[in-house]
Amino acid sequence: MGYFSMQLERGVGRFIFTPYFGFRKFFNIGLLGAQFFLFRNSRIIGWPFKLSFDPSNICQLQCPLCPTGRGQKGRSLGKMNFDNYKKIVEEMAPFLYEIDLNNWGEPFLNSELVKMIEFAHRKRARTSVNTNLNVKFDDTMAESIVKSGLDVLYISMDGISQETYEKYRVGGKLRIVWENIRLVVEKKKELKSKKPEIVWQFLVMKHNEHELPLLEKTRQELGIDRLAIGGVRSDMGKEIFVNDDKKISSLEKWLPSKGELSRYDFEKKQRKNLKKTCAFLWFVSVINWNGSVSPCCANYNEKFDFGNAFERGFKTVWNNEKYVSARKAVAKMQPNGKTVCDNCIRTGFID
């Protein structure tokens, strides 16, 4: 199947045959598509179909390639207030197909996370949460997650033994993760619910590649719905600022020994999946815990953000000077010195 036919098939399922379909939403996504694929407008008519909210950019783990885990300075720390979140969702709900509730921290450290999921569903948006699942659940919490309507629960778990797991997920307890998974799986069965779909994300690294043959059996034993195996990324706080050659060099400790297990081509010194452009600026936006708006999920330093959605609403940010400048630069593939997006033009768009 060709790339465009694959994207078309994926789009039909994502935007038409979905319980979150709406004619206004569909017209909006059509407008965005025309402006990105045909005209490359810098000032957009329409609004993002997806928003990523960061409920908490605080984390209890110290993952070595994560700026939060390393305690890197550059972004203020905190947890999103539900009322602020609610205002943005209400403002953008007529256009939203999807809401992700995660970015730089552990979402379940925000005690209002389930409330956020429930509200998104009342506004007819698909929801997902990406978590390290090291916040211990009880029976009540597991039940509230299942009843919330959460569509997908992504669990980052890069090992099936504590010894392997903690080499990257520093400070994490695999026992807690497995207990939480079993609680949610049991509640799904008890409540006869298909949601949330539980997806196990396993990043292949040098220290855990020997466990790959055991993953499918473990998935079945835990009752996880789907296994997603991926390659480790470079330092997430720096990846948009350095080229692939330097990324590979910095990952010597982590890259798997077998090239086929890596997202990088070791001979060519580049990623296997090279993107020619970035669609984020036309379709998606990221709102951090304090309302600061990032052009994408890879921008860690708050000084490079494009505005604040909590101050006067998200719509005042979407077509402001920084967004317009960034879209012009990406559309022409010419850095203009005005936004952080210049870096991806120079070093390659993240995949």
Side-chain angles (χ1 to χ4, degrees):
M1 183 183 290
Y3 174 78
F4 288 105
S5 57
M6 179 185 71
Q7 291 299 324
L8 178 61
E9 181 178 329
R10 184 177 178 229
V12 168
R14 191 175 186 182
F15 302 120
I16 299 178
F17 298 120
T18 168
Y20 306 113
F21 173 83
F23 288 105
R24 191 174 182 183
K25 294 180 185 181
F26 188 66
F27 179 72
N28 179 70
I29 195 73
L31 273 178
L32 297 179
Q35 290 170 96
F36 173 69
F37 291 107
L38 300 178
F39 307 113
R40 290 302 180 94
N41 298 43
S42 56
R43 187 174 295 277
I44 296 179
I45 300 172
W47 309 100
F49 77 86
K50 177 178 179 177
L51 288 177
S52 289
F53 289 89
D54 199 357
S56 167
N57 69 339
I58 299 167
C59 190
Q60 72 279 59
L61 304 191
Q62 297 87 48
C63 302
L65 297 175
C66 173
T68 305
R70 291 197 318 275
Q72 180 178 319
K73 295 181 180 180
R75 188 167 289 281
S76 55
L77 299 176
K79 300 174 184 179
M80 186 174 287
N81 174 274
F82 176 77
D83 289 336
N84 286 329
Y85 162 84
K86 180 180 177 182
K87 288 176 185 176
I88 303 302
V89 174
E90 286 181 329
E91 178 188 12
M92 303 307 299
F95 313 99
L96 286 179
Y97 273 97
E98 301 170 7
I99 289 176
D100 288 347
L101 287 157
N102 48 257
N103 197 22
W104 292 115
E106 170 48 51
F108 282 104
L109 290 178
N110 188 323
S111 61
E112 296 186 301
L113 179 65
V114 171
K115 193 175 175 182
M116 291 176 175
I117 297 166
E118 292 171 340
F119 186 74
H121 276 276
R122 288 204 294 275
K123 293 298 180 179
R124 299 188 63 248
R126 179 182 183 272
T127 55
S128 69
V129 171
N130 196 317
T131 171
N132 61 51
L133 216 63
N134 269 265
V135 177
K136 188 171 177 55
F137 294 168
D138 57 17
D139 193 72
T140 301
M141 182 62 177
E143 182 172 334
S144 69
I145 291 169
V146 175
K147 286 184 174 180
S148 71
L150 177 65
D151 290 276
V152 188
L153 181 66
Y154 292 102
I155 302 169
S156 297
M157 182 171 61
D158 318 304
I160 57 173
S161 66
Q162 179 62 29
E163 181 183 8
T164 301
Y165 175 74
E166 66 185 3
K167 284 183 179 177
Y168 184 76
R169 303 289 167 182
V170 180
K173 302 297 181 185
L174 194 59
R175 173 183 54 80
I176 293 176
V177 179
W178 285 20
E179 287 174 357
N180 287 342
I181 292 171
R182 290 189 174 108
L183 274 174
V184 175
V185 169
E186 287 171 5
K187 279 299 171 184
K188 284 176 63 177
K189 291 178 181 177
E190 180 183 319
L191 297 170
K192 298 179 181 179
S193 174
K194 292 182 178 180
K195 296 195 298 186
E197 178 188 17
I198 302 174
V199 181
W200 175 6
Q201 293 187 322
F202 185 97
L203 297 181
V204 184
M205 292 173 268
K206 189 176 294 183
H207 66 274
N208 66 12
E209 59 185 306
H210 67 282
E211 292 187 341
L212 285 172
L214 304 172
L215 299 188
E216 179 57 26
K217 180 182 177 183
T218 305
R219 180 195 72 79
Q220 294 179 22
E221 289 175 349
L222 290 171
I224 294 172
D225 298 302
R226 181 159 55 93
L227 174 62
I229 299 174
V232 65
R233 305 185 74 88
S234 64
D235 186 322
M236 292 178 285
K238 301 175 181 177
E239 66 176 337
I240 61 176
F241 298 98
V242 297
N243 60 33
D244 285 356
D245 190 6
K246 290 183 179 178
K247 288 173 186 171
I248 293 171
S249 297
S250 70
L251 286 171
E252 184 177 354
K253 177 181 178 181
W254 304 105
L255 287 176
S257 58
K258 298 176 183 178
E260 63 267 26
L261 299 177
S262 174
R263 65 202 298 269
Y264 297 98
D265 186 315
F266 296 156
E267 292 184 3
K268 295 180 180 180
K269 300 290 185 181
Q270 65 183 30
R271 281 164 291 163
K272 295 173 183 176
N273 180 24
L274 294 174
K275 291 175 62 179
K276 295 182 179 180
T277 188
C278 174
F280 249 82
L281 294 165
W282 281 263
F283 293 98
V284 184
S285 193
V286 177
I287 302 175
N288 295 285
W289 75 272
N290 59 355
S292 191
V293 178
S294 298
C296 78
C297 55
N299 178 47
Y300 180 72
N301 202 310
E302 196 166 332
K303 71 179 182 180
F304 296 128
D305 284 349
F306 283 11
N308 193 293
F310 292 167
E311 291 176 356
R312 290 186 296 130
F314 176 82
K315 290 181 179 179
T316 63
V317 180
W318 183 238
N319 275 313
N320 68 11
E321 183 180 351
K322 287 189 176 181
Y323 256 115
V324 170
S325 295
R327 293 186 190 116
K328 283 181 180 178
V330 170
K332 296 177 180 179
M333 289 297 291
Q334 295 176 357
N336 56 26
K338 295 182 179 180
T339 71
V340 69
C341 298
D342 283 0
N343 293 283
C344 282
I345 300 171
R346 297 190 186 100
T347 64
F349 299 102
I350 63 167
D351 53 322

